[in-house]
Structure formats: C-alpha cells, structure tokens
C-alpha cells in the first residue's frame, strides 16, 4: 500500500502549517481590530514579534519552507500592510504599537524571501520599510527609522528598475534627514550627492532632492554647524542648480498627462526660496553686494508674483550696510507700500533705517508709519523712537533732537486716546531713562529738558501722581545742580502739591541749605518728623548735606533731632553712640560749647549705665572703638579745661573719662592707668575749684572724692613698675603721690579722728618705690598747714624726706634745707605747747651735722643764713629772759653754723667777741651747751651788747 493511499488521519501535516495558521489568525485580528480597543495593539504587536522570531528560525533551518509557504507568507504580509494603511486612513492614532505592527509587514516580506513570481518585490519591500521609517520619525524615534532605512537600502541598491531607483532616492533623502538630525552632516551631504543620478530621471525626483538640499541648507544657515562640509551657501546653490537644470530639461517643461501642469512652477517656488535664503546667507556674511545680486535675480525671475516682505527687508539692510542711504529709503518706501508686508516687518525696517540715519529722518518715518499702521501707530512710534534713543548715544546734540521730536505736536497726537495708555507709559519711560542717563552723566541741562518732555506722556489722573511727582523731583535736582535754586524751589513746590512726602521736604531742605537760609532749613528739617513716611535715615542724610554745605549749626540741629528718637526704641540707621560722637565732634569746632559737650558726654555715660556698653556703643571691634573714642575725647577735654583753668568742667570731664576708660577693657593695664589718672586728676580739679571759687567743698563733694580715690587706689599697683620719677604731675610715676596728697587733703577736712588714717596713708607712701624726697617734703608741708595740722604726720614726713634725700647718690640739699626749716617750725610749735624735749635745738644740731664737711655752695646759702640767724635770735631771746645757759647754747650753735658758710664768716668774729663778753658778764655759770652737745669749745670775748643777725 502506498502512503498516499492511507486514510487522512494517518497522513503527515504540511511542514510549518501551525506557524502559518497562527500568522493568519493574527493578521485577521489586525484587520478586525476596533479603534475602541486600546489594549489590543500592544498584544498583537507582541504576537507578531513572537511569530517573526519563529519564522526567522524556520527560514534559517535546513528544511526551510517551500515556495508555496513563502508565497502565503508574502500574501499575509501584504494583507497586514493594507490593514495598517486602512487603519491610518480611518484616523487610528499613531502609537508605538501601531508602528510595530506596521513594521511587521515588511519584515514578513523580507523573511518570505521575495518570490520571483511577484513583480517589483524588492521595490515593494523597500518601499514598506521606507514608509515605516517615516512613521518612526513622526514618533521621534530616529534610531528605529534609521534601522528601517538601512534594511531597505540593500534591497534596491542595484537600482535595476525605475521603481527601485525611485525608492532608493526616497531612502537616500530620508537617511540624509536622519543623519543631519543626528549631527552627521558629512554623511547627510554625501547621501544627497549620491542621490543626484537617481533624481535626474524625473522632475519629481529633482524637486524632492532640491527640497532636501534647501531644507538642510536652511537648517545650516540657522544653526551654523562647525562641520565645514556643511556650508549653507553650497547647499542652497546645489538646490538652485537643480532647479535651473530641471527647468532647462524638456521633460520637465511638458505635462506628463492630459490636464496636468508642468513641474516648472513648483521648481520655481523652490528656486525663489533658494534665492531668498542665499540672500540671507550673504547678508549674514556682510556681503551686501552679494545680497543685492541675489535679490535682483529673484526680482527678475519669470512668474514672480507679489514680492515676499523679507526681500524688501533684506534689500533695506544691504543698502544700509553698503552706505547707500538713498536706495535704503526707496526700499523702505517700497516695503511700506507692500500690502502683503505685516506691520511688524514695516516697523522693524523703520527701526533699522532710523538707527542708521538718526533722529533727522525719524519724523518723516513716523508720519509714514502712522498712515500705514493706523491701529498701532503709537506702538510703531514707540519702537522707532526707542531705536532713535538707543542709537543717539550720549551726545547732547542728538539728545536735543530727540527732545524736539518727542515733543512735536503731531507725534504727541499719535498717543492720544485710552487705547494708547501702555504706549504712553512706554514713551514716558523711554524719555525718562534717557534723561536720567544724562543726569547721571552730569549733563543736567539736557537731562532736565528730556525729563520735562517726558511729562507730555504722563496723564494727570490719580494713578499717575507718583510718576509726575518723580519728574518734578528730578527736575528739581537738575536745577539744583545747575545752581538755579529758585527754579528748583518752584519744581519741588509743584511736586509737593502732587504728592507730599518726605522726599519733597528733604529736597526743600537741601535748597534752603544751598541758599544759606539756616533758620528756615532747621524749621523744614523739624517738619520731617511729622511725615508718615519719615525715616531716621533722612536726618542722617541731612547731617551729610549740612556738612557738605559747611553748615555746622544745621548739622548739630539734625543730630539733636536724631538723638531725640533713640528713647523711642525705633530702628535707627546708626548707633546712638555714633550720633553722640558726631555731635560732640561738631561741637568741638564751635567756641564756648563746653557745656553742650559735657551734656552729651554725660548722656553717653548715662545711656551706657542704663542699657549696657554693647547696647549703646555696639559689639566687637566697632563697639570698643566707639568707647575708646569717648574715653579719649573726655580726657582731652579735661586736659583742655585744666589748661584754661575751667576747673568746674575739668572735674566732670575727668570723671567721665574714668567711666569710659573703665568700659573699654577692665583687664588692660594701659586703660587701668588712664582710669587711675582720670580719677586722681578729677579730685585735683575739685581742689582747684575750691581755691578759685573760695568756697569749701561740700560733704557730697568730699564723699565723692573719697570714692574716686578709693577706686583709684585699687588701680595704683598697675602704675608702680613704670618709668623713673619726673616732675610732671600727670606722669604715671607721680600718680601715687597725687593720690596720697589728694587723699590726705580730703581726710584733713574731717575731724582729728582721721589723723591715724593719715599717718598710715603717708607711711604706706613712704614705703613705696614711687616715693621721692620732694614728694615727702610736699606732703610734710600739707600736713603742717591748715586749721587742723597733723604735727605727728608732718614730723614723720619731714624727717623721712631728710633721711631719703641723704641716702641718695646725689642728695638735694635744697629739699633737705626746706625740710629742716619746716622741722624747726614744728619743733617751735611743740615748745610753745609746753614740750620740754628741746626739739628745736635737736633739729639745729641735726642741721649742723649735715652742713659739716659740705663744699661751699652745696647747702643753699639763704637756708644756711636762716639757720644761723634763727639760732642767734633764739640766743638773744634767752638772754633777755635771763636764761644764760640757754643763751650760751644758741650762741654757740649760731657761731658754729656760721663758720661753715662762706658768706657768713664775716659775722663770726663779731659773734665770738659778743659771746666772750656774754661769758664774762654771766659769771662762772657752767656752759650747759658745750656739755650737752659736745660741740667744740670756743673762747669768745666781746661786748655785752649782742649783735643782731637778719
């Protein structure tokens, strides 16, 4: 039995029959797909991808499908393509899934193997790939489009038929477009060049190639790619040459079918576009002659209809660029007369023309535009005038021409009506900007002129009040700069009528300052405080303006007003300390302002106590600098007051200086010394006030002085390590002496209960390194004077002065002699009080021991004479009181002292004679003097009458 005779159920099915069945089912589903089913295209695309994979595998196997199978696949692919075309024709949306379904059709044709039975199979498959690639381009997937084009190109690369050549041309053009978009400009140009032989066969091919050259040429003109192979001029020239050759070809000039039109008109449109863009390219290259040649060819072309507006615009630009203003004016007139030219193009051309010709030609252009652009005459005028202003520069001549043009009645009339509100505002802003630029450039006359003309475009309604006021204020500033003060005052009065505010008042204040009307300026400045928009910054500006006008009085008034605002705790432009500093600095220039300076210095101290140093002076380095300024300022004022003997002020300034120096830095030794100085010198000034006013210090003054010196005493250790002793009472090494002497004098105003405190005070001073014999002598003098002298302290100080002086390398016998004289006086007071210590003689005996051995002149002559004379006079007093032994003792001391002073030796012989006579007359009474003091015995003889020493 043959296999063919078997029952059908035993026969083998055809190879790949199931694959063919599945493919047929999917194609049928695509044909029956409803537009409302949104999920089906994705599923069908997935099914097709799966089947294509299986089909590719089957086609590559050793037992591949036969010719009948391939033909069925081809037919199914064709059905799938027609179904996709039908869906597209019925408005199905182009989506990715739809494009994938469409691409499956040429893929099926390619896998079917292009049966030879089907005519133009390669061209059809390639065409399907080309059209699918275009769909991918519409979906912005150039990568997939390029893949389609690359699959199709080998199918028709041989170009064996007219159909294949046509498809290959389309593919080349499409690939050139994709390559250009991907930045592969050289490939795009190569593909276009490769397409020239293919396009030569038909007018449509030439047109398509010319259009592609034109499209890429326009893109290159707009983007200017860096690739030198992609030159816009070359591309546009290629397109133009294609049009020229096609127009000259007989095949292009003859209709192909009855009723059809030649291709030449279509090519003429492309040619016109090429000429236009070539003109634009030449214009970009500043080849104005080349631009005009292109335009001339364009205008001479046959079949030319209404001129494109861009032609006239480019011609205008080229004429202006070449400097042919007359031809440029004719081109502008032609363009404006072209009914097809949009108003915006005409206005742009007018702007360009005016920018090159200047304001002289602007008026004529404005009138022409007003006739052409009836609906937007104001807007056109603004654009032209803006170009005039921009091109005019800073020259005053051009600026005056602009002002005249803008203020012409015919131009101003263009802006009438409520519809031109925006244009009026723009025009005002244009002139305002130009005017302020001249103002800032110090061209005040032309600036004022332009600002005044700008007011022609400002309405008088409520909304424009602020703008009008601003114009008046700027006009005021211009005339102030020109020193037209009366005119400036008129403008600011007008501004205040329109919009009264603080800025108007401030300008009025500046005018009064410049007119040197200080009283009126102060009154106006005071009114600033009442304005709603007042800001303290205006008072700060007032100070600067006053100083610029050298009006110290007004500046002081402004600072005083500003100072009055700090108690209100408002935000201020500068610290209160800075205001006080500025105020004091100005007052220092004014004679007789000591009381005011003291007043504001007190305020700084008071505010520092109330708010704290950082709150009043500021923080950080700035605050320290401010505090230091006040400290130095009050210190210098105190010294000045001391020099001028104005001790009432001096005391307070020293007190303030101490407070400010204390606030700068408590750990700074230098500041501590200055605090100490200020306190001590302040007390010294109190004593000067007492002497000058002849009034004793009050109890409160005494208490205050004690407090000041107590505080200074704590700081005195800082001063001790400093320089050697000097005679300047303000030097650091004398501070301890001044502190001690002032403290002693304050204690002396109290009762005798302070005497022990005084003694301890001077003992502490005597033990210090700052102590000098002169200091001790001075303190001894203070202690021995007054209504309640402290004799114990005085004796201690005077003896310490002598001891200290004798212990030095170069003793000062002037200090020693003065101390001895003071001791003699103190001892005399003790003797008068009934003391039996014979203290006076002890002092003389000490003096005698000091002068013995001194060279002549070392001990002051007057002091030596005083010692000898005083001793002789005491002897005279004793002899009258019939105290013989006492008299002999003092005579002996006087004679012994006189022998050691050269200028007293002339009296020695006479004194000895008298002493001898006194000895004889007084009998055999023992000489107590010689027994007590051990002085050398002298046999004296003389008359009983004692000589007088004076």
């Amino acid at each position: 039995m043959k296999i063919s005779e078997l029952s059908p159920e035993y026969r083998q099915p055809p190879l790949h029959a199931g694959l063919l069945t599945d493919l047929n089912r999917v194609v049928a589903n695509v044909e029956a797909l409803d537009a409302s089913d949104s999920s089906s295209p994705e599923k069908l695309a997935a099914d097709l991808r799966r089947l294509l994979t299986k089909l590719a595998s089957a086609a590559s196997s050793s037992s591949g499908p036969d010719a009948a199978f391939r033909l069925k696949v081809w037919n199914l692919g064709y059905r799938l393509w027609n179904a996709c075309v039908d869906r597209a024709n019925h408005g199905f949306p182009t989506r990715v899934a739809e494009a994938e379904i469409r691409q499956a059709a040429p893929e099926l044709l390619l896998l079917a193997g292009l049966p030879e039975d089907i005519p133009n199979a390669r061209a059809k498959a390639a065409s399907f790939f080309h059209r699918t690639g275009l769909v991918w381009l519409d979906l912005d997937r150039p990568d997939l489009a390029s893949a389609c084009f690359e699959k199709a190109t080998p199918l028709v690369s041989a170009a064996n038929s007219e159909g294949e050549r046509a498809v290959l041309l389309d593919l080349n053009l499409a690939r050139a477009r994709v390559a250009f978009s991907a930045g592969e400009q050289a490939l795009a140009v190569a593909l276009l060049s490769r397409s020239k032989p293919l396009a030569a066969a038909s007018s449509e091919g030439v047109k398509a190639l010319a259009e592609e050259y034109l499209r890429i040429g326009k893109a290159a003109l707009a983007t200017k790619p860096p690739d030198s192979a992609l030159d816009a001029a070359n591309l546009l020239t290629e397109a133009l040459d294609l049009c020229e050759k096609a127009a000259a070809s007989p095949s292009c000039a003859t209709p192909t079918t009855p009723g059809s039109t030649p291709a030449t008109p279509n090519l003429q449109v492309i040619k016109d576009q090429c000429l236009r863009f070539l003109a634009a390219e030449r214009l970009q290259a500043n080849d104005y002659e080349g631009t005009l040649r292109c335009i001339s060819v364009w205008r001479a072309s046959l079949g030319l209809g209404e001129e494109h507006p861009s032609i006239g615009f480019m011609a205008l630009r080229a004429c202006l660029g070449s400097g042919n203003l007359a031809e440029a004016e004719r081109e502008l007139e032609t363009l404006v007369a072209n009914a097809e030219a949009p108003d915006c193009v005409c206005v742009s051309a007018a702007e360009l023309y005016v920018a090159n010709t200047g304001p002289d030609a602007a008026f004529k252009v404005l009138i022409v535009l007003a006739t052409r652009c009836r609906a937007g005459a104001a807007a056109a005028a603004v654009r032209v005038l803006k170009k005039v202003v921009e091109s005019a520069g800073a020259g005053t001549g051009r600026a005056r021409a602009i002002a005249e043009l803008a203020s012409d009645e015919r131009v101003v009339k263009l802006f009438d009506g409520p519809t031109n509100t925006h244009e009026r505002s723009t025009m005002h802003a244009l002139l305002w900007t130009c005017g302020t630029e001249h103002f800032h450039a110090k061209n005040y006359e032309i600036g004022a002129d332009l600002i005044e003309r700008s007011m022609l475009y400002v309405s008088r309604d409520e909304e424009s009040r602020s703008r009008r006021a601003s114009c008046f204020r700027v006009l005021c500033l211009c005339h102030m700069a020109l020193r037209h003060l009366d005119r400036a005052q008129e403008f600011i009065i007008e501004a205040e009528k329109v919009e009264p505010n603080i800025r108007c008042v401030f300008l009025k204040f500046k005018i009064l300052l410049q007119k040197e009307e200080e009283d009126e300026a102060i009154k106006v400045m005071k009114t600033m405080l009442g304005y709603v928009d007042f800001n303290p910054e205006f008072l700060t500006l007032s100070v600067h303006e006053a100083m610029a006008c050298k009006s110290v009085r007004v500046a002081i008034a402004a600072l005083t007003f500003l100072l009055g605002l700090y108690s209100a705790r408002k935000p201020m432009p500068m610290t209160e300390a800075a205001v006080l500093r500025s105020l004091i600095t100005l007052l220092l220039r004014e004679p007789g302002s000591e009381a005011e300076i003291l007043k504001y210095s007190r305020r700084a101290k008071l505010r520092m106590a109330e708010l704290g140093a950082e709150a009043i002076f500021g923080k950080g380095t700035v605050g320290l600098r401010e505090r230091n300024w006040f400290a130095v300022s009050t210190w210098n004022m105190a010294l000045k007051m001391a020099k001028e003997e104005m001790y009432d002020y001096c005391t307070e300034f020293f007190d303030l200086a101490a407070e400010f120096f204390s606030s700068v830095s408590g750990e700074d030794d230098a500041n501590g010394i200055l605090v100490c100085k200020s306190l001590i010198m302040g007390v010294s000034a109190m004593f000067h006030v007492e002497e000058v006013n002849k009034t004793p210090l009050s109890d409160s003054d005494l208490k205050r002085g004690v407090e000041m010196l107590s505080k200074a005493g704590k700081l005195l250790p800082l001063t001790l390590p400093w320089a050697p002793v000097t005679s300047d009472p303000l030097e650091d090494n004398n501070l301890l002496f001044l502190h001690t002497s002032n403290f002693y004098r304050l204690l002396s105003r109290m009762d005798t209960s302070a005497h022990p405190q005084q003694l301890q005070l001077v003992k502490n001073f005597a033990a210090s390194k700052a102590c000098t014999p002169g200091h001790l002598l001075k303190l001894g003098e203070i202690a021995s004077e007054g209504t309640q002298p402290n004799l114990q302290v005085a004796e201690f100080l005077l003896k310490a002065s002598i001891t200290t002086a004798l212990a030095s390398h170069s003793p000062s016998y002037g200090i020693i002699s003065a101390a001895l004289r003071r001791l003699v006086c103190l001892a005399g007071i003790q003797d008068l009080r009934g003391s039996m210590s014979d203290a006076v003689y002890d002092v003389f005996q000490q003096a005698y021991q000091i002068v013995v051995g001194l060279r002549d002149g070392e001990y002051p002559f007057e002091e030596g004479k005083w010692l000898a004379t005083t001793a002789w006079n005491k002897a005279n007093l004793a002899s009258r009181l019939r105290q013989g032994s006492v008299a002999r003792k003092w005579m002996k001391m006087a004679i012994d002292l006189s022998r050691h002073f050269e200028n007293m030796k002339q009296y020695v012989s006479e004194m000895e004679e008298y002493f001898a006579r006194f000895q004889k007359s007084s009998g055999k009474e023992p000489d107590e003097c010689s027994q007590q003091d051990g002085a050398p015995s002298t046999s004296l003889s003389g008359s009983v009458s004692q000589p007088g020493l004076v």
Side-chain angles (χ1 to χ4, degrees), residues 60 441 506 675 785 875 899 915:
S60 61
F506 182 71
V675 173
E785 294 172 349
R899 287 194 184 108
F915 182 72

Side-chain angles (χ1 to χ4, degrees), residues 88-103:
N89 292 337
H90 284 83
F92 281 77
T94 303
R95 294 182 296 179
V96 172
E98 295 283 349
E100 289 180 349
I101 294 172
R102 179 184 285 265
Q103 185 169 345

Side-chain angles (χ1 to χ4, degrees), residues 114-130:
L114 305 175
E116 296 180 358
D117 304 354
I118 299 174
N120 296 324
R122 292 179 174 275
K124 290 177 181 178
S127 176
F128 286 3
F129 272 118
H130 171 254

Side-chain angles (χ1 to χ4, degrees), residues 207 210 214 239-240 242-244 246-247 262-276 297-305:
K207 176 184 175 184
L214 175 61
L240 188 61
L242 285 171
C243 293
E244 293 286 353
T264 304
N266 292 333
L267 291 174
Q268 184 63 42
V269 172
I270 298 174
K271 179 181 176 182
D272 293 345
Q273 291 186 20
C274 290
L275 288 170
R276 279 171 48 209
V297 172
W298 191 93
R299 285 173 171 171
S301 297
L302 296 175
L304 180 65

Side-chain angles (χ1 to χ4, degrees), residues 180-196:
F180 181 81
S181 300
E184 299 176 356
Q185 288 88 359
L187 176 60
V189 174
L191 287 169
L192 293 180
S193 299
R194 196 183 303 170
S195 302
K196 289 181 181 179

